[in-house]
Amino acid sequence: TQNQDAFTVRTLSDGHVLAVVCDGMGGARAGNVASSMTVELFGQKLENLSGDTNYRIGHNNHLVCISRI
């Protein structure tokens, strides 16, 4: 079977390091597409919010919390 998992690690413009792992639901149709899209869109959204002073990105080494201020 095909590995349907996806991941990314990138440094955001505010200096935070983003690591995202998505489980592709092995065996599900287009699971690799869904996990790849999720990783990319999540990264884009956080990058867009990282410079927005109306949002705060908090973290505790494993979990990211985005809150509107």
Side-chain angles (χ1 to χ4, degrees), residues 22-40:
C22 289
D23 186 334
M25 305 277 297
R29 282 159 105 224
N32 60 322
V33 174
S35 62
S36 295
M37 287 177 64
T38 301
V39 164
E40 184 59 33

Side-chain angles (χ1 to χ4, degrees), residues 4-35:
Q4 296 186 342
D5 302 341
F7 72 95
T8 188
V9 177
R10 63 173 85 170
T11 302
L12 301 178
S13 60
D14 64 1
H16 284 93
V17 175
L18 171 68
V20 179
V21 177
C22 289
D23 186 334
M25 305 277 297
R29 282 159 105 224
N32 60 322
V33 174
S35 62

